PDB file of all heavy atoms in Angstrom:
ATOM      1  N   LEU A 315     144.662  60.412 169.807  1.00  0.00           N
ATOM      2  CA  LEU A 315     144.665  58.997 169.410  1.00  0.00           C
ATOM      3  C   LEU A 315     143.991  58.769 167.981  1.00  0.00           C
ATOM      4  O   LEU A 315     144.470  57.863 167.249  1.00  0.00           O
ATOM      5  CB  LEU A 315     143.940  58.182 170.463  1.00  0.00           C
ATOM      6  CG  LEU A 315     144.567  58.169 171.854  1.00  0.00           C
ATOM      7  CD1 LEU A 315     143.772  57.331 172.866  1.00  0.00           C
ATOM      8  CD2 LEU A 315     146.009  57.493 171.788  1.00  0.00           C
ATOM      9  N   SER A 316     142.963  59.467 167.707  1.00  0.00           N
ATOM     10  CA  SER A 316     142.203  59.307 166.500  1.00  0.00           C
ATOM     11  C   SER A 316     143.093  59.608 165.296  1.00  0.00           C
ATOM     12  O   SER A 316     142.948  59.118 164.091  1.00  0.00           O
ATOM     13  CB  SER A 316     140.942  60.069 166.415  1.00  0.00           C
ATOM     14  OG  SER A 316     141.155  61.419 166.360  1.00  0.00           O
ATOM     15  N   LEU A 317     144.039  60.463 165.407  1.00  0.00           N
ATOM     16  CA  LEU A 317     144.874  60.985 164.371  1.00  0.00           C
ATOM     17  C   LEU A 317     146.155  60.069 164.176  1.00  0.00           C
ATOM     18  O   LEU A 317     146.944  60.356 163.238  1.00  0.00           O
ATOM     19  CB  LEU A 317     145.302  62.360 164.578  1.00  0.00           C
ATOM     20  CG  LEU A 317     144.163  63.496 164.396  1.00  0.00           C
ATOM     21  CD1 LEU A 317     144.704  64.865 164.666  1.00  0.00           C
ATOM     22  CD2 LEU A 317     143.577  63.439 163.035  1.00  0.00           C
ATOM     23  N   MET A 318     146.336  59.114 164.966  1.00  0.00           N
ATOM     24  CA  MET A 318     147.500  58.241 164.838  1.00  0.00           C
ATOM     25  C   MET A 318     147.504  57.457 163.479  1.00  0.00           C
ATOM     26  O   MET A 318     148.468  57.417 162.805  1.00  0.00           O
ATOM     27  CB  MET A 318     147.559  57.248 165.961  1.00  0.00           C
ATOM     28  CG  MET A 318     147.875  57.743 167.323  1.00  0.00           C
ATOM     29  SD  MET A 318     149.419  58.705 167.283  1.00  0.00           S
ATOM     30  CE  MET A 318     148.913  60.430 167.248  1.00  0.00           C
ATOM     31  N   LEU A 319     146.315  57.069 162.965  1.00  0.00           N
ATOM     32  CA  LEU A 319     146.287  56.374 161.766  1.00  0.00           C
ATOM     33  C   LEU A 319     146.577  57.359 160.605  1.00  0.00           C
ATOM     34  O   LEU A 319     147.276  57.010 159.673  1.00  0.00           O
ATOM     35  CB  LEU A 319     144.876  55.788 161.539  1.00  0.00           C
ATOM     36  CG  LEU A 319     144.634  55.133 160.146  1.00  0.00           C
ATOM     37  CD1 LEU A 319     145.514  53.855 160.092  1.00  0.00           C
ATOM     38  CD2 LEU A 319     143.160  54.733 160.040  1.00  0.00           C
ATOM     39  N   CYS A 320     146.125  58.549 160.642  1.00  0.00           N
ATOM     40  CA  CYS A 320     146.438  59.526 159.601  1.00  0.00           C
ATOM     41  C   CYS A 320     147.894  59.789 159.533  1.00  0.00           C
ATOM     42  O   CYS A 320     148.455  60.140 158.522  1.00  0.00           O
ATOM     43  CB  CYS A 320     145.619  60.849 159.840  1.00  0.00           C
ATOM     44  SG  CYS A 320     143.840  60.594 159.863  1.00  0.00           S
ATOM     45  N   THR A 321     148.544  59.923 160.669  1.00  0.00           N
ATOM     46  CA  THR A 321     150.017  60.091 160.831  1.00  0.00           C
ATOM     47  C   THR A 321     150.758  58.973 160.092  1.00  0.00           C
ATOM     48  O   THR A 321     151.754  59.248 159.331  1.00  0.00           O
ATOM     49  CB  THR A 321     150.535  60.171 162.231  1.00  0.00           C
ATOM     50  OG1 THR A 321     149.788  61.296 162.889  1.00  0.00           O
ATOM     51  CG2 THR A 321     152.005  60.411 162.395  1.00  0.00           C
ATOM     52  N   VAL A 322     150.295  57.806 160.251  1.00  0.00           N
ATOM     53  CA  VAL A 322     150.961  56.573 159.618  1.00  0.00           C
ATOM     54  C   VAL A 322     150.696  56.608 158.168  1.00  0.00           C
ATOM     55  O   VAL A 322     151.631  56.286 157.369  1.00  0.00           O
ATOM     56  CB  VAL A 322     150.400  55.348 160.310  1.00  0.00           C
ATOM     57  CG1 VAL A 322     150.912  54.058 159.515  1.00  0.00           C
ATOM     58  CG2 VAL A 322     150.919  55.193 161.749  1.00  0.00           C
ATOM     59  N   THR A 323     149.458  56.912 157.685  1.00  0.00           N
ATOM     60  CA  THR A 323     149.165  56.837 156.268  1.00  0.00           C
ATOM     61  C   THR A 323     149.506  58.064 155.493  1.00  0.00           C
ATOM     62  O   THR A 323     149.344  57.981 154.312  1.00  0.00           O
ATOM     63  CB  THR A 323     147.686  56.535 156.184  1.00  0.00           C
ATOM     64  OG1 THR A 323     146.857  57.496 156.755  1.00  0.00           O
ATOM     65  CG2 THR A 323     147.269  55.099 156.724  1.00  0.00           C
ATOM     66  N   PHE A 324     149.810  59.186 156.107  1.00  0.00           N
ATOM     67  CA  PHE A 324     150.230  60.325 155.427  1.00  0.00           C
ATOM     68  C   PHE A 324     151.301  60.112 154.334  1.00  0.00           C
ATOM     69  O   PHE A 324     151.196  60.524 153.158  1.00  0.00           O
ATOM     70  CB  PHE A 324     150.641  61.427 156.342  1.00  0.00           C
ATOM     71  CG  PHE A 324     150.976  62.746 155.811  1.00  0.00           C
ATOM     72  CD1 PHE A 324     150.343  63.243 154.686  1.00  0.00           C
ATOM     73  CD2 PHE A 324     151.993  63.605 156.277  1.00  0.00           C
ATOM     74  CE1 PHE A 324     150.719  64.414 154.084  1.00  0.00           C
ATOM     75  CE2 PHE A 324     152.338  64.800 155.750  1.00  0.00           C
ATOM     76  CZ  PHE A 324     151.676  65.244 154.647  1.00  0.00           C
ATOM     77  N   PRO A 325     152.460  59.372 154.615  1.00  0.00           N
ATOM     78  CA  PRO A 325     153.292  59.099 153.569  1.00  0.00           C
ATOM     79  C   PRO A 325     152.799  58.187 152.498  1.00  0.00           C
ATOM     80  O   PRO A 325     153.270  58.334 151.255  1.00  0.00           O
ATOM     81  CB  PRO A 325     154.444  58.362 154.317  1.00  0.00           C
ATOM     82  CG  PRO A 325     154.346  58.845 155.825  1.00  0.00           C
ATOM     83  CD  PRO A 325     152.965  58.976 155.942  1.00  0.00           C
ATOM     84  N   VAL A 326     151.886  57.292 152.807  1.00  0.00           N
ATOM     85  CA  VAL A 326     151.232  56.439 151.790  1.00  0.00           C
ATOM     86  C   VAL A 326     150.460  57.335 150.887  1.00  0.00           C
ATOM     87  O   VAL A 326     150.573  57.185 149.576  1.00  0.00           O
ATOM     88  CB  VAL A 326     150.421  55.429 152.462  1.00  0.00           C
ATOM     89  CG1 VAL A 326     149.643  54.634 151.434  1.00  0.00           C
ATOM     90  CG2 VAL A 326     151.120  54.539 153.381  1.00  0.00           C
TER      91      VAL A 326
END
Side-chain angles (χ1 to χ4, degrees):
L315 294 177
S316 68
L317 289 177
M318 290 302 100
L319 177 63
C320 300
T321 300
V322 170
T323 59
F324 181 35
V326 176

